[in-house]
Amino acid sequence: LRDFLLVYNRMTELCFRHCVCNLNYRLLTGREESCLDSCAARLVRANHRLMGTYVGLVPALLQRRAAEHGAPAGPSGPPASPEPAPGPAEP
């Protein structure tokens, strides 16, 4: 949710700065509205394309990461304790 809100706020800021040039009126002009619509549409399409590419790449990245971490570097299990286990001492 946080990432979505960050993207939405950034898009709003970019399009507003690009399209709104006169703050003397309460309502947007037709030209400003049109500019904002096309700006937002472009950014949404770009975001969809990026997310589509990301979703396509993630499985390969996860498989590679699993393969790297899946091969044990040494013996598995807890490390051997240097101290003898508690119990009766052997003669």
XYZ file of all heavy atoms in Angstrom:
692
model
N 0.834 -1.189 0.000
C 0.000 0.000 0.000
C 0.879 1.254 0.000
O 0.604 2.215 -0.705
C -0.941 -0.010 1.204
C -1.881 1.190 1.319
C -2.810 1.288 0.126
C -2.665 1.118 2.607
N 1.948 1.190 0.786
C 2.844 2.345 0.862
C 3.475 2.631 -0.503
O 3.540 3.781 -0.936
C 3.934 2.082 1.902
C 4.870 3.252 2.108
C 5.893 2.935 3.178
N 6.757 1.851 2.776
C 8.008 2.021 2.352
N 8.531 3.213 2.319
N 8.724 0.998 1.987
N 3.936 1.576 -1.180
C 4.544 1.750 -2.499
C 3.538 2.303 -3.500
O 3.877 3.164 -4.317
C 5.120 0.429 -3.012
C 6.340 0.000 -2.221
O 6.958 0.866 -1.580
O 6.667 -1.193 -2.250
N 2.309 1.801 -3.439
C 1.271 2.307 -4.334
C 1.055 3.800 -4.099
O 0.964 4.582 -5.048
C -0.036 1.546 -4.131
C -1.204 2.186 -4.827
C -1.370 2.057 -6.195
C -2.122 2.950 -4.113
C -2.433 2.665 -6.849
C -3.185 3.555 -4.751
C -3.346 3.416 -6.120
N 0.957 4.199 -2.841
C 0.730 5.613 -2.532
C 1.910 6.481 -2.959
O 1.715 7.608 -3.430
C 0.444 5.790 -1.040
C -0.881 5.206 -0.571
C -1.006 5.321 0.945
C -2.061 5.879 -1.245
N 3.117 5.972 -2.820
C 4.282 6.730 -3.280
C 4.244 6.937 -4.793
O 4.518 8.030 -5.286
C 5.566 6.016 -2.868
C 5.918 6.064 -1.389
C 7.114 5.155 -1.085
C 6.209 7.483 -0.943
N 3.911 5.884 -5.525
C 3.822 5.998 -6.991
C 2.705 6.975 -7.369
O 2.889 7.826 -8.244
C 3.579 4.607 -7.633
C 3.191 4.729 -9.094
C 4.813 3.750 -7.477
N 1.565 6.865 -6.724
C 0.434 7.738 -7.016
C 0.786 9.196 -6.725
O 0.515 10.088 -7.537
C -0.773 7.302 -6.182
C -1.991 8.166 -6.383
C -2.799 8.010 -7.493
C -2.315 9.163 -5.457
C -3.910 8.817 -7.677
C -3.423 9.969 -5.644
C -4.216 9.792 -6.751
O -5.307 10.590 -6.941
N 1.410 9.454 -5.585
C 1.785 10.830 -5.241
C 2.820 11.388 -6.205
O 2.751 12.549 -6.603
C 2.314 10.900 -3.811
C 1.219 10.753 -2.781
O 0.053 10.981 -3.059
N 1.599 10.341 -1.594
N 3.776 10.575 -6.599
C 4.802 11.022 -7.555
C 4.174 11.333 -8.914
O 4.504 12.329 -9.546
C 5.869 9.944 -7.680
C 7.000 10.317 -8.567
C 7.882 11.353 -7.929
N 9.001 11.603 -8.818
C 9.519 12.792 -9.013
N 9.081 13.816 -8.360
N 10.506 12.944 -9.853
N 3.267 10.471 -9.354
C 2.588 10.694 -10.631
C 1.779 11.990 -10.583
O 1.818 12.798 -11.515
C 1.654 9.528 -10.945
C 0.891 9.695 -12.238
S -0.267 8.370 -12.565
C -1.570 8.747 -11.431
N 1.053 12.205 -9.484
C 0.250 13.416 -9.336
C 1.135 14.649 -9.400
O 0.821 15.623 -10.082
C -0.515 13.374 -7.995
O -1.315 12.201 -7.974
C -1.395 14.582 -7.826
N 2.254 14.604 -8.697
C 3.165 15.754 -8.679
C 3.749 16.032 -10.057
O 3.782 17.181 -10.514
C 4.288 15.485 -7.681
C 5.262 16.624 -7.550
C 6.399 16.313 -6.587
O 6.259 15.384 -5.762
O 7.421 17.003 -6.673
N 4.198 14.981 -10.743
C 4.785 15.159 -12.077
C 3.779 15.756 -13.061
O 4.083 16.709 -13.785
C 5.295 13.829 -12.612
C 6.597 13.301 -12.052
C 6.838 11.878 -12.517
C 7.752 14.187 -12.445
N 2.587 15.179 -13.083
C 1.587 15.654 -14.037
C 1.119 17.069 -13.698
O 0.908 17.888 -14.592
C 0.406 14.682 -14.098
S 0.815 13.121 -14.885
N 0.963 17.358 -12.425
C 0.534 18.702 -12.029
C 1.568 19.729 -12.457
O 1.229 20.750 -13.055
C 0.313 18.767 -10.512
C -0.200 20.100 -10.046
C -1.551 20.381 -10.089
C 0.673 21.065 -9.569
C -2.036 21.607 -9.663
C 0.204 22.296 -9.147
C -1.153 22.567 -9.195
N 2.838 19.458 -12.171
C 3.894 20.413 -12.549
C 3.992 20.584 -14.059
O 4.300 21.660 -14.545
C 5.239 19.960 -11.997
C 5.357 20.179 -10.521
C 6.736 19.856 -10.047
N 6.833 20.086 -8.620
C 7.946 19.951 -7.942
N 9.051 19.578 -8.557
N 7.960 20.172 -6.653
N 3.740 19.494 -14.785
C 3.853 19.550 -16.245
C 2.667 20.256 -16.892
O 2.838 20.991 -17.868
C 3.976 18.131 -16.807
C 4.068 18.068 -18.289
N 5.181 18.454 -18.986
C 3.159 17.669 -19.219
C 4.948 18.313 -20.275
N 3.735 17.827 -20.441
N 1.478 20.081 -16.339
C 0.266 20.522 -17.033
C -0.373 21.792 -16.486
O -0.981 22.536 -17.251
C -0.785 19.409 -16.995
S -0.279 17.920 -17.870
N -0.290 22.040 -15.214
C -0.983 23.190 -14.632
C -0.008 24.352 -14.552
O 0.998 24.293 -13.844
C -1.554 22.844 -13.239
C -2.241 24.056 -12.629
C -2.523 21.683 -13.345
N -0.331 25.402 -15.288
C 0.591 26.530 -15.334
C -0.018 27.816 -14.774
O 0.688 28.790 -14.566
C 1.090 26.747 -16.758
S -0.215 26.817 -17.972
N -1.309 27.826 -14.501
C -1.960 29.033 -14.006
C -2.796 28.677 -12.777
O -3.784 27.960 -12.873
C -2.848 29.638 -15.098
C -3.378 30.999 -14.693
O -3.200 31.441 -13.572
N -4.047 31.652 -15.633
N -2.393 29.202 -11.614
C -3.092 28.897 -10.375
C -4.059 30.015 -9.972
O -4.503 30.067 -8.833
C -2.078 28.654 -9.250
C -1.123 27.483 -9.471
C -0.100 27.417 -8.350
C -1.875 26.179 -9.586
N -4.399 30.897 -10.907
C -5.289 32.014 -10.593
C -6.768 31.638 -10.644
O -7.606 32.436 -10.259
C -5.034 33.178 -11.561
C -3.658 33.778 -11.341
O -3.126 33.763 -10.236
N -3.064 34.291 -12.416
N -7.071 30.436 -11.116
C -8.463 30.033 -11.257
C -8.732 28.789 -10.415
O -7.850 27.963 -10.204
C -8.798 29.737 -12.720
C -8.563 30.926 -13.616
C -7.430 30.989 -14.415
C -9.465 31.982 -13.647
C -7.201 32.083 -15.226
C -9.237 33.088 -14.457
C -8.103 33.134 -15.237
O -7.890 34.223 -16.028
N -9.956 28.694 -9.938
C -10.337 27.562 -9.097
C -10.427 26.261 -9.909
O -10.056 25.195 -9.421
C -11.680 27.870 -8.453
C -12.187 26.756 -7.606
C -13.467 27.146 -6.916
N -13.306 26.742 -5.535
C -13.841 27.324 -4.510
N -14.600 28.371 -4.670
N -13.644 26.873 -3.311
N -10.930 26.330 -11.129
C -11.118 25.144 -11.968
C -10.002 25.026 -13.000
O -9.366 26.018 -13.370
C -12.466 25.218 -12.673
C -13.701 25.277 -11.757
C -14.956 25.460 -12.585
C -13.788 24.021 -10.915
N -9.812 23.817 -13.468
C -8.829 23.585 -14.530
C -9.394 24.039 -15.863
O -10.596 23.955 -16.107
C -8.498 22.094 -14.618
C -7.810 21.462 -13.415
C -7.766 19.949 -13.594
C -6.421 22.018 -13.225
N -8.523 24.482 -16.738
C -8.947 24.799 -18.096
C -9.079 23.483 -18.866
O -8.583 22.435 -18.421
C -7.918 25.704 -18.803
O -6.694 24.975 -18.956
C -7.664 26.986 -18.020
N -9.721 23.539 -19.995
C -9.863 22.344 -20.830
C -8.517 21.799 -21.260
O -8.309 20.584 -21.308
N -7.611 22.695 -21.571
C -6.277 22.282 -22.004
C -5.531 21.575 -20.852
O -4.870 20.565 -21.064
C -5.507 23.505 -22.465
C -4.193 23.217 -23.102
C -3.585 24.505 -23.605
N -2.446 24.201 -24.441
C -1.695 25.084 -25.010
N -1.969 26.366 -24.871
N -0.680 24.742 -25.748
N -5.648 22.128 -19.635
C -4.998 21.512 -18.480
C -5.596 20.133 -18.184
O -4.869 19.181 -17.898
C -5.129 22.412 -17.252
C -4.284 23.678 -17.330
C -4.600 24.671 -16.221
O -5.725 24.648 -15.686
O -3.713 25.484 -15.909
N -6.894 20.021 -18.254
C -7.557 18.732 -18.030
C -7.097 17.690 -19.032
O -6.794 16.546 -18.668
C -9.075 18.897 -18.121
C -9.747 18.881 -16.779
C -11.259 18.901 -16.919
O -11.831 17.806 -17.137
O -11.836 19.978 -16.810
N -7.048 18.083 -20.283
C -6.612 17.177 -21.336
C -5.166 16.737 -21.105
O -4.833 15.550 -21.252
C -6.756 17.878 -22.689
O -6.123 17.163 -23.691
N -4.332 17.686 -20.752
C -2.922 17.380 -20.482
C -2.797 16.420 -19.306
O -2.034 15.452 -19.363
C -2.162 18.677 -20.205
S -0.404 18.442 -19.845
N -3.544 16.671 -18.232
C -3.488 15.802 -17.062
C -3.968 14.389 -17.389
O -3.380 13.402 -16.933
C -4.315 16.388 -15.918
C -3.714 17.614 -15.225
C -4.731 18.262 -14.307
C -2.463 17.226 -14.462
N -5.034 14.287 -18.176
C -5.540 12.967 -18.564
C -4.497 12.176 -19.345
O -4.247 11.001 -19.055
C -6.812 13.102 -19.400
C -8.027 13.465 -18.570
O -7.985 13.280 -17.327
O -9.019 13.937 -19.156
N -3.881 12.823 -20.318
C -2.905 12.106 -21.135
C -1.634 11.807 -20.338
O -1.038 10.734 -20.496
C -2.575 12.876 -22.414
O -1.944 14.093 -22.111
N -1.232 12.720 -19.470
C -0.043 12.504 -18.630
C -0.266 11.311 -17.710
O 0.582 10.413 -17.624
C 0.258 13.758 -17.821
S 1.668 13.606 -16.707
N -1.387 11.283 -17.017
C -1.688 10.180 -16.105
C -1.794 8.864 -16.876
O -1.294 7.829 -16.417
C -2.974 10.464 -15.341
N -2.420 8.891 -18.029
C -2.562 7.670 -18.829
C -1.197 7.135 -19.257
O -0.954 5.927 -19.202
C -3.437 7.945 -20.049
N -0.304 8.022 -19.679
C 1.042 7.598 -20.067
C 1.775 6.947 -18.901
O 2.400 5.895 -19.052
C 1.863 8.803 -20.561
C 1.722 9.124 -22.005
C 2.809 10.087 -22.483
N 3.100 11.169 -21.565
C 2.530 12.377 -21.571
N 1.617 12.662 -22.472
N 2.881 13.298 -20.707
N 1.703 7.581 -17.733
C 2.408 7.037 -16.568
C 1.801 5.714 -16.099
O 2.534 4.809 -15.693
C 2.420 8.064 -15.438
C 3.294 9.291 -15.702
C 3.146 10.304 -14.583
C 4.750 8.903 -15.858
N 0.491 5.589 -16.176
C -0.157 4.334 -15.786
C 0.243 3.224 -16.756
O 0.553 2.098 -16.339
C -1.690 4.498 -15.711
C -2.396 3.164 -15.632
C -2.064 5.369 -14.516
N 0.251 3.506 -18.059
C 0.678 2.505 -19.050
C 2.130 2.093 -18.819
O 2.473 0.910 -18.873
C 0.509 3.039 -20.466
C -0.893 2.919 -21.008
C -0.945 3.163 -22.514
N -0.322 4.413 -22.929
C -0.950 5.582 -23.040
N -2.235 5.659 -22.771
N -0.310 6.664 -23.420
N 2.989 3.071 -18.540
C 4.397 2.760 -18.284
C 4.529 1.898 -17.028
O 5.314 0.938 -17.011
C 5.201 4.046 -18.133
N 3.767 2.217 -16.002
C 3.815 1.437 -14.770
C 3.331 0.009 -15.012
O 3.930 -0.947 -14.509
C 2.972 2.114 -13.685
C 3.172 1.479 -12.332
O 4.253 1.015 -12.013
N 2.122 1.455 -11.540
N 2.289 -0.147 -15.816
C 1.778 -1.490 -16.141
C 2.831 -2.294 -16.894
O 3.010 -3.492 -16.640
C 0.494 -1.398 -16.958
C -0.707 -1.094 -16.129
N -1.866 -1.810 -16.200
C -0.938 -0.138 -15.190
C -2.748 -1.320 -15.354
N -2.201 -0.303 -14.726
N 3.512 -1.651 -17.838
C 4.558 -2.350 -18.592
C 5.703 -2.770 -17.674
O 6.223 -3.883 -17.776
C 5.087 -1.471 -19.717
C 4.093 -1.314 -20.865
C 4.633 -0.446 -21.968
N 5.776 -1.087 -22.587
C 6.666 -0.457 -23.332
N 6.545 0.835 -23.574
N 7.687 -1.095 -23.867
N 6.108 -1.875 -16.772
C 7.182 -2.206 -15.839
C 6.780 -3.349 -14.915
O 7.569 -4.273 -14.679
C 7.552 -0.984 -14.999
C 8.359 0.092 -15.703
C 8.467 1.326 -14.829
C 9.739 -0.422 -16.058
N 5.557 -3.314 -14.413
C 5.092 -4.370 -13.520
C 4.983 -5.699 -14.263
O 5.295 -6.751 -13.711
C 3.737 -4.007 -12.906
C 3.809 -2.932 -11.857
S 4.796 -3.412 -10.443
C 6.224 -2.372 -10.622
N 4.548 -5.653 -15.523
C 4.483 -6.874 -16.324
C 5.854 -7.491 -16.517
O 6.037 -8.711 -16.394
N 6.843 -6.666 -16.798
C 8.212 -7.149 -16.953
C 8.735 -7.690 -15.634
O 9.361 -8.753 -15.588
C 9.122 -6.013 -17.455
O 8.605 -5.537 -18.699
C 10.549 -6.481 -17.646
N 8.465 -6.981 -14.556
C 8.904 -7.404 -13.222
C 8.308 -8.762 -12.863
O 9.018 -9.662 -12.405
C 8.500 -6.349 -12.200
C 8.824 -6.701 -10.774
C 10.120 -6.625 -10.306
C 7.822 -7.114 -9.904
C 10.427 -6.952 -8.997
C 8.118 -7.446 -8.590
C 9.413 -7.356 -8.146
O 9.692 -7.697 -6.860
N 7.010 -8.930 -13.096
C 6.342 -10.195 -12.787
C 6.934 -11.320 -13.637
O 7.052 -12.451 -13.172
C 4.815 -10.068 -13.003
C 4.124 -11.410 -13.009
C 4.222 -9.167 -11.941
N 7.331 -11.012 -14.858
C 7.945 -12.028 -15.704
C 9.346 -12.410 -15.259
O 9.776 -13.551 -15.449
N 10.067 -11.489 -14.642
C 11.446 -11.752 -14.238
C 11.564 -12.355 -12.842
O 12.540 -13.041 -12.545
C 12.266 -10.459 -14.278
C 12.537 -9.874 -15.659
C 13.260 -8.552 -15.538
C 13.355 -10.839 -16.498
N 10.616 -12.105 -11.984
C 10.710 -12.542 -10.584
C 10.879 -14.057 -10.443
O 11.738 -14.501 -9.680
C 9.513 -12.020 -9.747
C 9.420 -12.721 -8.414
C 9.655 -10.537 -9.537
N 10.103 -14.910 -11.147
C 10.307 -16.357 -10.978
C 11.737 -16.799 -11.302
O 12.308 -17.611 -10.569
C 9.311 -16.985 -11.953
C 8.247 -15.952 -12.110
C 8.962 -14.637 -12.008
N 12.324 -16.251 -12.352
C 13.703 -16.617 -12.699
C 14.673 -16.152 -11.620
O 15.607 -16.882 -11.252
C 14.085 -16.014 -14.045
N 14.467 -14.957 -11.089
C 15.332 -14.457 -10.021
C 15.206 -15.314 -8.766
O 16.207 -15.632 -8.116
C 14.995 -13.002 -9.694
C 15.327 -11.971 -10.760
C 14.771 -10.604 -10.378
C 16.825 -11.896 -10.954
N 13.987 -15.700 -8.423
C 13.781 -16.530 -7.240
C 14.412 -17.913 -7.411
O 15.001 -18.450 -6.472
C 12.290 -16.651 -6.930
C 11.612 -15.375 -6.432
C 10.117 -15.613 -6.244
C 12.242 -14.881 -5.147
N 14.298 -18.485 -8.608
C 14.911 -19.786 -8.864
C 16.427 -19.709 -8.752
O 17.064 -20.575 -8.156
C 14.544 -20.289 -10.260
C 13.222 -20.986 -10.331
C 12.972 -21.546 -11.716
O 13.461 -21.004 -12.712
N 12.204 -22.623 -11.786
N 17.002 -18.666 -9.308
C 18.457 -18.507 -9.244
C 18.909 -18.322 -7.800
O 19.889 -18.915 -7.367
C 18.897 -17.320 -10.102
C 20.400 -17.179 -10.170
C 20.844 -16.151 -11.140
N 20.080 -14.920 -10.941
C 20.288 -13.811 -11.615
N 21.199 -13.767 -12.546
N 19.578 -12.736 -11.384
N 18.173 -17.513 -7.047
C 18.515 -17.287 -5.643
C 18.388 -18.578 -4.839
O 19.230 -18.873 -3.989
C 17.610 -16.203 -5.066
C 18.253 -15.442 -3.938
C 17.376 -14.337 -3.457
N 17.591 -13.146 -4.240
C 16.824 -12.084 -4.194
N 15.753 -12.060 -3.432
N 17.094 -11.019 -4.912
N 17.335 -19.342 -5.113
C 17.146 -20.614 -4.407
C 18.267 -21.583 -4.753
O 18.746 -22.325 -3.887
C 15.791 -21.204 -4.755
N 18.700 -21.603 -5.998
C 19.781 -22.491 -6.406
C 21.088 -22.089 -5.728
O 21.866 -22.953 -5.309
C 19.945 -22.462 -7.921
N 21.330 -20.802 -5.604
C 22.557 -20.332 -4.958
C 22.563 -20.678 -3.471
O 23.570 -21.083 -2.924
C 22.701 -18.821 -5.125
C 23.047 -18.396 -6.526
C 22.985 -16.885 -6.705
O 22.630 -16.175 -5.734
O 23.287 -16.413 -7.811
N 21.420 -20.514 -2.820
C 21.342 -20.746 -1.387
C 20.961 -22.183 -1.050
O 21.115 -22.611 0.085
C 20.343 -19.787 -0.731
C 20.764 -18.363 -0.830
N 21.896 -17.877 -0.229
C 20.204 -17.307 -1.459
C 22.021 -16.594 -0.484
N 21.005 -16.225 -1.237
N 20.484 -22.919 -2.025
C 20.047 -24.291 -1.785
C 21.206 -25.255 -1.646
O 21.123 -26.238 -0.930
N 22.314 -25.002 -2.329
C 23.474 -25.882 -2.246
C 24.202 -25.594 -0.940
O 24.682 -24.492 -0.731
C 24.396 -25.649 -3.440
N 24.288 -26.579 -0.049
C 24.951 -26.328 1.236
C 26.449 -26.118 1.063
O 27.096 -26.810 0.286
C 24.658 -27.577 2.055
C 24.304 -28.632 1.072
C 23.769 -27.924 -0.147
N 26.981 -25.159 1.793
C 28.401 -24.850 1.723
C 29.202 -25.792 2.618
O 30.384 -25.972 2.443
C 28.641 -23.409 2.141
N 28.562 -26.381 3.604
C 29.243 -27.275 4.524
C 28.240 -28.298 5.035
O 27.155 -28.434 4.482
N 28.607 -29.015 6.106
C 27.652 -29.996 6.648
C 26.421 -29.296 7.177
O 26.498 -28.231 7.765
C 28.440 -30.683 7.764
C 29.561 -29.763 8.095
C 29.832 -28.960 6.853
N 25.273 -29.921 6.965
C 24.036 -29.312 7.431
C 23.795 -29.703 8.869
O 24.361 -30.656 9.380
C 22.861 -29.749 6.552
O 22.720 -31.145 6.640
N 22.930 -28.965 9.530
C 22.617 -29.241 10.922
C 23.383 -28.299 11.825
O 24.233 -27.526 11.378
N 23.124 -28.390 13.126
C 23.801 -27.495 14.056
C 25.270 -27.859 14.179
O 25.656 -29.025 14.031
C 23.059 -27.704 15.384
C 22.387 -29.028 15.251
C 22.159 -29.246 13.784
N 26.126 -26.877 14.456
C 27.554 -27.167 14.583
C 27.815 -28.030 15.808
O 27.097 -27.972 16.796
C 28.188 -25.780 14.734
C 27.088 -24.878 15.170
C 25.813 -25.480 14.641
N 28.847 -28.848 15.717
C 29.196 -29.737 16.826
C 29.708 -28.912 17.990
O 30.452 -27.960 17.809
C 30.256 -30.735 16.372
N 29.329 -29.303 19.179
C 29.740 -28.608 20.392
C 31.109 -29.119 20.825
O 31.325 -30.329 20.881
C 28.698 -28.832 21.481
O 29.149 -28.280 22.692
N 32.050 -28.233 21.167
C 33.373 -28.688 21.589
C 33.353 -29.296 22.988
O 34.224 -30.042 23.358
C 34.225 -27.427 21.547
C 33.267 -26.294 21.657
C 31.983 -26.794 21.064
N 32.335 -28.989 23.796
C 32.256 -29.515 25.150
C 31.502 -30.841 25.136
O 30.557 -31.020 24.366
C 31.524 -28.529 26.058
C 32.226 -27.199 26.177
C 31.438 -26.221 27.026
O 30.531 -26.639 27.766
O 31.723 -25.036 26.936
N 31.875 -31.768 26.023
C 31.141 -33.038 26.074
C 29.740 -32.812 26.633
O 29.509 -31.875 27.375
C 31.980 -33.916 26.998
C 32.845 -32.967 27.774
C 32.992 -31.741 26.934
N 28.823 -33.654 26.238
C 27.452 -33.560 26.703
C 27.414 -33.871 28.191
O 28.175 -34.704 28.683
C 26.559 -34.517 25.934
N 26.524 -33.213 28.950
C 26.460 -33.510 30.377
C 25.950 -34.910 30.623
O 25.134 -35.434 29.866
C 25.472 -32.439 30.898
C 24.724 -31.956 29.723
C 25.598 -32.193 28.532
N 26.428 -35.541 31.652
C 26.044 -36.899 31.993
C 27.119 -37.537 32.835
O 28.092 -36.891 33.207
N 26.972 -38.801 33.092
C 28.002 -39.456 33.915
C 29.327 -39.532 33.168
O 29.364 -39.785 31.981
C 27.428 -40.855 34.194
C 26.364 -41.067 33.166
C 25.910 -39.712 32.739
N 30.401 -39.284 33.883
C 31.742 -39.317 33.299
C 32.177 -40.765 33.131
O 31.916 -41.600 33.977
C 32.721 -38.564 34.171
N 32.860 -41.046 32.034
C 33.371 -42.398 31.802
C 34.710 -42.539 32.476
O 35.535 -41.627 32.435
C 33.480 -42.647 30.309
C 32.149 -42.698 29.602
C 32.308 -43.064 28.156
O 33.192 -43.857 27.804
O 31.526 -42.536 27.366
N 35.003 -43.694 33.086
C 36.295 -43.899 33.759
C 37.450 -44.105 32.816
O 37.448 -44.469 31.752
C 36.091 -45.116 34.636
C 34.851 -45.786 34.170
C 34.110 -44.800 33.335
